[in-house]
Amino acid sequence: MTKRVFVTRRLPEPGIRQLLDAGIEVVVNDEDRPVSRDELLAGVSGADGLISMLTDRIDTDLLDAAPELKVIANYAVGFDNIDVAAARSRGIEVTNTPGVLTEATADMTWALLLGAARNLGAGERMVRAGRWTGWAPTQLVGQPSGGRVLGIVGMGAIGSAVARRARGFGMSVVYFNRNRVAPELEAELGARWLPLEDLIRSADFISLHAPLNSESRHLIDAAALASMKSTAVLVNTGRGALIDEAALVDALRSGEIAAAGLDVYEREPALTPGLVDLDNVVLAPHLGSASTEARSAMVHLCCDNIEAVLAGRDALTPVPG
Ligand code: GLV
Ligand code: GLV
């Protein structure tokens, strides 16, 4: 019997061609917007495979509506949108796209880190609004990177790629991860493990790369923000809910920390009131993996995972757990 795969959103090149070439029937939400809950429920009914976006909530109700489903390929490295335990208990494999978006996300992290440190958002708004009256010795003076300490929270592939770049900027690197990484990797990255509290208290720049789960939700809360340096710059390209966004707005407003660079938010695309009014935060619209190479490689990896599982083989990149 022909297998059927539901794809919840139009994908960039090379798109779904690979699945069609493999003789799989593919149904795509061809409108460039997230599927509604009803469209998602209808789409998975009778489907053998699903390519989901991080904006799709895959919970038990959804799984109950998909008795034929064998594989969910999430078009993202994060998979907090999926109830993985519930899927696996029904014999459904869940895969993500690690590796292929590591460098793209590390680049975006640095764009936000430097942009926040050097007031790029505020400067851009000034120029565009016609408020720039010319160079001035005291204008938008920010934080240097060289010689400062970068604290990385979550030393997986992306955290490591961020650490590698830090060398070029002459920064020293400390990190927190539940498990210390191998001594060889620590040596290669020149990174020193610190307890989270010590990292938060001592780092000049703090960048979040931990997965979102019940333990890491609001890892950065009001107390953590209060213990940061007043010159600290906080960067988040992981998941919005790693930070208590309301507490962050307060901390940025009161000067408890100097600046932030955000790519992700607690309730995307909604923003906590007050955030857009602050000049000391750079706001990106969840662009971490948005490079031509990364987005194409993510398509291939999702399709490879779908094909493998539907052919009775092991998935290439099953999510951990
Ligand atoms: C993007 O946020 C991803 O998890 O790939
Ligand atoms: C600034 O542009 C300078 O030349 O110092």
Side-chain angles (χ1 to χ4, degrees):
M1 264 243 311
T2 306
K3 308 275 193 208
R4 193 200 322 154
V5 172
F6 180 55
V7 182
T8 68
R9 192 151 184 175
R10 186 189 308 157
L11 297 173
E13 284 298 307
I16 56 161
R17 222 172 306 137
Q18 177 181 345
L19 295 177
L20 297 175
D21 289 347
I24 294 170
E25 181 192 339
V26 185
V27 179
V28 185
N29 162 33
D30 219 6
E31 308 207 29
D32 202 14
R33 56 161 176 78
V35 276
S36 69
R37 185 72 178 168
D38 285 344
E39 288 168 327
L40 186 54
L41 285 162
V44 296
S45 158
D48 304 279
L50 171 67
I51 297 184
S52 53
M53 306 300 120
L54 57 89
T55 42
D56 302 323
R57 187 165 42 87
I58 312 295
D59 54 16
T60 52
D61 286 347
L62 201 280
L63 296 169
D64 286 343
E68 309 299 325
L69 201 59
K70 285 159 206 76
V71 54
I72 301 168
N74 208 41
Y75 188 76
V77 68
F79 49 87
D80 49 285
N81 57 309
I82 300 176
D83 187 337
V84 175
R88 291 233 166 107
S89 75
R90 289 162 165 78
I92 301 170
E93 184 57 288
V94 181
T95 70
N96 62 343
T97 60
V100 295
L101 47 66
T102 300
E103 302 303 326
T105 308
D107 284 350
M108 181 53 71
T109 302
W110 277 92
L112 287 171
L113 187 158
L114 295 171
R118 296 298 297 273
N119 299 305
L120 201 53
E124 233 252 353
R125 284 187 290 281
M126 179 195 285
V127 173
R128 281 182 187 271
R131 283 187 278 108
W132 187 42
T133 54
W135 185 92
T138 55
Q139 191 168 70
L140 294 177
V141 175
Q143 307 289 327
S145 56
R148 299 285 172 104
V149 177
L150 170 62
I152 294 178
V153 178
M155 196 61 125
I158 297 170
S160 299
V162 170
R164 248 173 228 119
R165 284 158 174 72
R167 289 217 147 166
F169 287 89
M171 301 177 89
S172 56
V173 177
V174 296
Y175 79 97
F176 170 78
N177 203 60
R178 269 179 315 168
N179 303 307
R180 281 183 70 151
V181 302
E184 301 78 40
L185 184 60
E186 280 190 0
E188 184 214 318
L189 301 174
R192 188 164 58 87
W193 185 89
L194 279 185
L196 182 60
E197 284 165 28
D198 295 354
L199 180 152
I200 285 172
R201 223 174 323 109
S202 62
D204 298 298
F205 293 83
I206 297 172
S207 190
L208 308 182
H209 303 285
L212 176 64
N213 51 44
S214 52
E215 281 169 48
S216 64
R217 185 171 298 273
H218 287 192
L219 195 66
I220 304 299
D221 56 9
L225 289 159
S227 70
M228 288 178 193
K229 290 182 169 186
S230 60
T231 51
V233 175
L234 177 64
V235 179
N236 189 9
T237 54
R239 282 292 179 269
L242 294 171
I243 300 177
D244 179 340
E245 206 168 274
L248 177 63
V249 169
D250 290 343
L252 287 168
R253 189 182 284 142
S254 67
E256 207 160 64
I257 69 171
L262 306 177
D263 192 39
V264 288
Y265 306 87
E266 263 199 276
R267 288 166 294 274
E268 295 178 10
L271 302 179
T272 295
L275 196 58
V276 296
D277 305 323
L278 295 167
D279 237 359
N280 54 348
V281 61
V282 178
L283 305 171
H286 204 146
L287 295 175
S289 67
S291 81
T292 49
E293 275 185 48
R295 287 281 165 91
S296 291
M298 290 163 69
V299 173
H300 277 302
L301 191 47
C302 283
C303 293
D304 288 347
N305 275 304
I306 293 270
E307 273 195 63
V309 175
L310 293 188
R313 300 191 302 270
D314 286 343
L316 285 78
T317 51
V319 303

